[in-house]
Amino acid sequence: MILGIETSCDDTSVAVLSLDGEVKGLLSANQDAAHRPFGGVVPEVASRQHTETLLPLIEQVLQQSHTDWSHITGIAVTSRPGLIGSLLVGVVTAKTLALANQIPFIGVNHIEGHLLAALLKDATHRPPHGFGFPFLGLAVSGGHTHLFACEAPGRYKLLGRTLDDAAGEAFDKFAKMLKLGFPGGVQVDRLATQGDTKAFSFPRALLHEDNLNFSFSGLKTAGLRAIENLKPQELQTRTPDLCASYQEAIAEVLVEKLKKAAQQTGLKNWTVTGGVSANTRLRTLATEAAQKANATLALPPLRYCTDNAAMVALAGLYKIKNGETSSQDLSPAASALPTDWTPK
Ligand code: KG4
Ligand code: ZN
């Protein structure tokens, strides 16, 4: 069994994965309540929460999966990219437990984890029939919007990425402007169901450009302008329309670029993962596009889409099986390493 540890941002998550890639246990502790008063993630608060939560959560996941340390043959931990203080808690814990139990550990890239979430299986879930490498992976969350050709475990080619804000950040900032609470993506999604996608005209940046990059900062500014142009008494009644139109702009751009990437690469297996892949409209548009293109789309269950340690354990499992391990001098890094994927 592999123990996975994820502490790169504001979720403390631990998982036990069997050597054939089946999730035996997954526990995540969400810190939303601690960050809500500040309207966003406070790095110092996040690392303190990880420190308090992580070890008891590991004990709990071992119990839940009827496992003890004698069954754990390796530890996988997110070591990059992320908030440095948060990453440090996970990395130091993984090193210490590896040393104490005399087992190998490996630091993995969080975004690689998101991509591999498409392959996770458990007692109640299997990836779609026929889904596997090579596949097209769109990892879209509060911290990243990256599009990859995933050729084999550990072999990823970056096709495009956001030039400024991540899609989840665009959702969260818009929700903040509308005072919908934190994290806001899910609130925008909920209100959008009662709104008109065409009520407001929002920009689709880079949509027709001949590249696979994204940009959401202009959309954010347009969102702010649209809110400012409404009279205070209009704002409440127009909020569903604002949410539907804003969400449509994000979902449309994401799916159009996914389609373009599929045409360019010829890949017929697609996945959309990361917290934003929970978005109802994005799921609908991606599903329709996959059907039209005769592609197999893996939309992992939510527990594997949002930040979780099962995906980290799977990324580590491939590496450990391949003989790769980290040494005790591994440091966490705020950014990806040049060797994590082939650049554009
Ligand atoms: O993957 P994740 O849990 O953490 C990061 O690595 O960022 O993603 C969190 C992001 C947040 O920005 C959140 O607002 C967004 O995913 N999100 C959504 C929805 N559910 C979560 N965005 C749009 N619609 C949703 N239903
Ligand atoms: Zn993430």
Tab-separated table of all heavy atoms in Angstrom, residues 11 110 114 141-144 168-169 171-172 183-186 189 274-276 278-279 305-307, ligand 1:
chain	number	residue	atom	x	y	z
A	11	ASP	N	-6.544	22.228	1.818
A	11	ASP	CA	-7.183	20.961	2.189
A	11	ASP	C	-6.116	20.031	2.726
A	11	ASP	O	-5.095	19.832	2.074
A	11	ASP	CB	-7.832	20.277	0.982
A	11	ASP	CG	-9.019	21.058	0.467
A	11	ASP	OD1	-10.045	21.094	1.174
A	11	ASP	OD2	-8.920	21.640	-0.627
A	110	HIS	N	1.620	18.372	-7.771
A	110	HIS	CA	0.180	18.385	-7.496
A	110	HIS	C	-0.660	18.317	-8.792
A	110	HIS	O	-1.688	17.638	-8.843
A	110	HIS	CB	-0.118	19.673	-6.717
A	110	HIS	CG	-1.537	19.928	-6.412
A	110	HIS	ND1	-2.167	19.393	-5.326
A	110	HIS	CD2	-2.472	20.675	-7.057
A	110	HIS	CE1	-3.419	19.811	-5.302
A	110	HIS	NE2	-3.633	20.580	-6.350
A	114	HIS	N	-3.702	15.828	-10.242
A	114	HIS	CA	-5.016	16.154	-10.812
A	114	HIS	C	-5.248	15.395	-12.114
A	114	HIS	O	-6.341	14.890	-12.373
A	114	HIS	CB	-5.130	17.660	-11.069
A	114	HIS	CG	-5.587	18.452	-9.867
A	114	HIS	ND1	-6.756	18.165	-9.188
A	114	HIS	CD2	-5.044	19.523	-9.234
A	114	HIS	CE1	-6.907	19.035	-8.189
A	114	HIS	NE2	-5.876	19.867	-8.186
A	141	SER	N	-8.557	24.463	-11.663
A	141	SER	CA	-8.903	24.619	-10.248
A	141	SER	C	-8.689	26.058	-9.809
A	141	SER	O	-8.543	26.952	-10.645
A	141	SER	CB	-8.034	23.676	-9.418
A	141	SER	OG	-6.734	24.192	-9.366
A	142	GLY	N	-8.651	26.252	-8.487
A	142	GLY	CA	-8.469	27.605	-7.971
A	142	GLY	C	-7.066	28.123	-8.223
A	142	GLY	O	-6.824	29.327	-8.260
A	143	GLY	N	-6.121	27.226	-8.403
A	143	GLY	CA	-4.730	27.633	-8.558
A	143	GLY	C	-4.168	27.423	-9.954
A	143	GLY	O	-3.132	27.984	-10.300
A	144	HIS	N	-4.842	26.586	-10.783
A	144	HIS	CA	-4.251	26.301	-12.094
A	144	HIS	C	-5.297	26.050	-13.171
A	144	HIS	O	-6.400	25.588	-12.889
A	144	HIS	CB	-3.287	25.107	-12.021
A	144	HIS	CG	-3.430	24.279	-10.796
A	144	HIS	ND1	-2.635	24.434	-9.698
A	144	HIS	CD2	-4.333	23.341	-10.476
A	144	HIS	CE1	-3.030	23.627	-8.751
A	144	HIS	NE2	-4.057	22.941	-9.199
A	168	GLY	N	-10.744	28.913	-11.558
A	168	GLY	CA	-11.382	28.886	-10.241
A	168	GLY	C	-11.255	30.230	-9.534
A	168	GLY	O	-12.182	30.679	-8.841
A	169	GLU	N	-10.124	30.872	-9.749
A	169	GLU	CA	-9.891	32.196	-9.171
A	169	GLU	C	-10.889	33.187	-9.784
A	169	GLU	O	-11.428	34.045	-9.077
A	169	GLU	CB	-8.468	32.591	-9.567
A	169	GLU	CG	-7.750	33.465	-8.614
A	169	GLU	CD	-6.310	33.675	-9.114
A	169	GLU	OE1	-5.785	32.826	-9.883
A	169	GLU	OE2	-5.736	34.706	-8.753
A	171	PHE	N	-13.833	32.500	-10.908
A	171	PHE	CA	-15.130	32.218	-10.266
A	171	PHE	C	-15.156	32.819	-8.854
A	171	PHE	O	-16.109	33.491	-8.470
A	171	PHE	CB	-15.352	30.705	-10.148
A	171	PHE	CG	-16.031	30.084	-11.347
A	171	PHE	CD1	-15.347	29.192	-12.164
A	171	PHE	CD2	-17.356	30.377	-11.642
A	171	PHE	CE1	-15.980	28.607	-13.258
A	171	PHE	CE2	-17.993	29.794	-12.738
A	171	PHE	CZ	-17.300	28.904	-13.552
A	172	ASP	N	-14.113	32.557	-8.092
A	172	ASP	CA	-14.104	32.981	-6.687
A	172	ASP	C	-14.103	34.502	-6.539
A	172	ASP	O	-14.781	35.052	-5.675
A	172	ASP	CB	-12.893	32.386	-5.950
A	172	ASP	CG	-13.004	30.874	-5.805
A	172	ASP	OD1	-14.124	30.348	-5.930
A	172	ASP	OD2	-11.969	30.224	-5.581
A	183	PRO	N	-15.729	29.391	-0.534
A	183	PRO	CA	-15.296	29.668	-1.909
A	183	PRO	C	-16.514	29.824	-2.818
A	183	PRO	O	-17.531	29.154	-2.608
A	183	PRO	CB	-14.485	28.424	-2.265
A	183	PRO	CG	-15.003	27.347	-1.367
A	183	PRO	CD	-15.586	27.999	-0.152
A	184	GLY	N	-16.394	30.678	-3.794
A	184	GLY	CA	-17.582	31.155	-4.487
A	184	GLY	C	-18.007	30.394	-5.727
A	184	GLY	O	-19.145	30.553	-6.179
A	185	GLY	N	-17.105	29.577	-6.298
A	185	GLY	CA	-17.425	28.897	-7.555
A	185	GLY	C	-18.747	28.155	-7.494
A	185	GLY	O	-19.600	28.275	-8.388
A	186	VAL	N	-18.939	27.442	-6.425
A	186	VAL	CA	-20.140	26.620	-6.295
A	186	VAL	C	-21.399	27.486	-6.172
A	186	VAL	O	-22.475	27.115	-6.650
A	186	VAL	CB	-19.964	25.603	-5.133
A	186	VAL	CG1	-19.906	26.281	-3.798
A	186	VAL	CG2	-21.031	24.540	-5.165
A	189	ASP	N	-22.271	28.714	-9.655
A	189	ASP	CA	-22.871	27.559	-10.338
A	189	ASP	C	-24.355	27.416	-9.951
A	189	ASP	O	-25.238	27.285	-10.801
A	189	ASP	CB	-22.076	26.298	-9.925
A	189	ASP	CG	-22.407	25.069	-10.743
A	189	ASP	OD1	-23.404	25.097	-11.489
A	189	ASP	OD2	-21.683	24.069	-10.616
A	274	GLY	N	-9.807	18.697	-11.390
A	274	GLY	CA	-9.596	19.900	-10.582
A	274	GLY	C	-10.945	20.385	-10.079
A	274	GLY	O	-11.991	19.993	-10.619
A	275	GLY	N	-10.922	21.231	-9.063
A	275	GLY	CA	-12.159	21.666	-8.398
A	275	GLY	C	-13.201	22.240	-9.342
A	275	GLY	O	-14.407	22.007	-9.164
A	276	VAL	N	-12.761	22.975	-10.365
A	276	VAL	CA	-13.718	23.627	-11.268
A	276	VAL	C	-14.466	22.607	-12.129
A	276	VAL	O	-15.552	22.887	-12.643
A	276	VAL	CB	-13.002	24.701	-12.131
A	276	VAL	CG1	-13.949	25.362	-13.116
A	276	VAL	CG2	-12.374	25.767	-11.237
A	278	ALA	N	-16.151	20.430	-11.159
A	278	ALA	CA	-17.451	20.203	-10.513
A	278	ALA	C	-18.526	21.067	-11.160
A	278	ALA	O	-19.718	20.826	-10.969
A	278	ALA	CB	-17.360	20.537	-9.028
A	279	ASN	N	-18.110	22.067	-11.910
A	279	ASN	CA	-19.075	23.023	-12.464
A	279	ASN	C	-20.059	22.355	-13.439
A	279	ASN	O	-19.659	21.713	-14.406
A	279	ASN	CB	-18.330	24.165	-13.167
A	279	ASN	CG	-19.268	25.232	-13.658
A	279	ASN	OD1	-19.667	25.235	-14.812
A	279	ASN	ND2	-19.653	26.119	-12.768
A	305	CYS	N	-11.775	15.033	-7.822
A	305	CYS	CA	-11.564	16.263	-8.608
A	305	CYS	C	-10.973	17.366	-7.749
A	305	CYS	O	-10.032	18.047	-8.141
A	305	CYS	CB	-12.888	16.754	-9.175
A	305	CYS	SG	-13.360	15.922	-10.664
A	306	THR	N	-11.570	17.574	-6.571
A	306	THR	CA	-11.031	18.606	-5.679
A	306	THR	C	-9.724	18.074	-5.096
A	306	THR	O	-9.414	16.890	-5.230
A	306	THR	CB	-12.026	18.911	-4.540
A	306	THR	OG1	-12.339	17.677	-3.913
A	306	THR	CG2	-13.296	19.529	-5.068
A	307	ASP	N	-8.966	18.932	-4.449
A	307	ASP	CA	-7.665	18.518	-3.929
A	307	ASP	C	-7.827	17.305	-3.020
A	307	ASP	O	-8.629	17.334	-2.075
A	307	ASP	CB	-7.029	19.677	-3.147
A	307	ASP	CG	-6.487	20.729	-4.093
A	307	ASP	OD1	-6.499	20.495	-5.322
A	307	ASP	OD2	-6.042	21.780	-3.609
B	1	KG4	O1	-8.942	21.643	-6.976
B	1	KG4	P1	-9.456	22.545	-5.906
B	1	KG4	O2	-10.243	21.902	-4.793
B	1	KG4	O3	-8.296	23.339	-5.224
B	1	KG4	C1	-7.271	23.982	-5.914
B	1	KG4	O4	-6.237	23.330	-6.223
B	1	KG4	O5	-7.475	25.190	-6.180
B	1	KG4	O6	-10.335	23.666	-6.624
B	1	KG4	C2	-11.004	24.676	-5.905
B	1	KG4	C3	-11.644	25.626	-6.897
B	1	KG4	C4	-12.191	26.891	-6.247
B	1	KG4	O7	-11.790	28.008	-7.017
B	1	KG4	C5	-13.696	26.687	-6.316
B	1	KG4	O8	-14.442	27.876	-6.358
B	1	KG4	C6	-13.825	25.916	-7.594
B	1	KG4	O9	-12.745	24.982	-7.559
B	1	KG4	N1	-15.109	25.220	-7.696
B	1	KG4	C7	-16.056	25.511	-8.613
B	1	KG4	C8	-17.148	24.658	-8.352
B	1	KG4	N2	-16.832	23.880	-7.287
B	1	KG4	C9	-15.562	24.221	-6.897
B	1	KG4	N3	-16.051	26.399	-9.615
B	1	KG4	C10	-17.150	26.456	-10.388
B	1	KG4	N4	-18.249	25.694	-10.199
B	1	KG4	C11	-18.287	24.779	-9.199
B	1	KG4	N5	-19.367	24.010	-9.029
